[in-house]
Amino acid sequence: MIQITMQNNILKVKGHSMSAESGRDIICSAASMLTYTLAQSMSNMYTQNWLKKKPTINLEEGNAEVIVKPKKEYENEVKFAFDIIATGFQLLSATYPQYVEFSWNEE
């Protein structure tokens, strides 16, 4: 089971779907792609000087987190990026509820 939580500009992803053998698991691939997309987006925002400090990005197999602190004037842009990724995780968990659990605390 992949457990995904999003809250206050924090994404945490843990576990594996175990829906197929390693290298053929499309559910894990989808979750990874969404996670990596958010991580890269936050790195880009840091380069554009939209964040207060460098984002915390840990991307390990079965365990990932992205934590950011946006500057006040860019809070909406960061929230929008998180919202887009959250929509992807919602779709993934709705399509494969036996493999993906998604919790999103919007503020």
Side-chain angles (χ1 to χ4, degrees), residues 3-74:
Q3 296 174 324
I4 305 156
T5 58
M6 291 182 85
Q7 179 179 355
N8 300 330
N9 301 319
I10 298 171
L11 167 67
K12 292 187 179 186
V13 181
K14 294 185 180 191
H16 295 280
S17 74
M18 308 303 282
S19 67
E21 64 186 69
S22 182
R24 296 187 181 275
D25 192 331
I26 63 168
I27 298 165
C28 275
S29 295
S32 294
M33 192 79 263
L34 288 166
T35 303
Y36 274 76
T37 298
L38 183 65
Q40 186 60 53
S41 294
M42 294 304 107
S43 291
N44 294 348
M45 288 184 179
Y46 175 71
T47 301
Q48 294 170 324
N49 202 30
W50 291 9
L51 305 178
K52 291 180 181 178
K53 63 179 190 172
K54 188 173 183 176
T56 299
I57 299 173
N58 297 314
L59 302 170
E60 300 173 11
E61 186 177 331
N63 189 27
E65 77 178 353
V66 178
I67 303 171
V68 299
K69 296 197 182 300
K71 291 182 176 179
K72 184 149 185 73
E73 62 268 29
Y74 297 108

Side-chain angles (χ1 to χ4, degrees), residues 81-95:
F82 269 79
D83 288 350
I84 293 295
I85 297 302
T87 300
F89 283 129
Q90 285 175 323
L91 289 168
L92 191 60
S93 66
T95 305

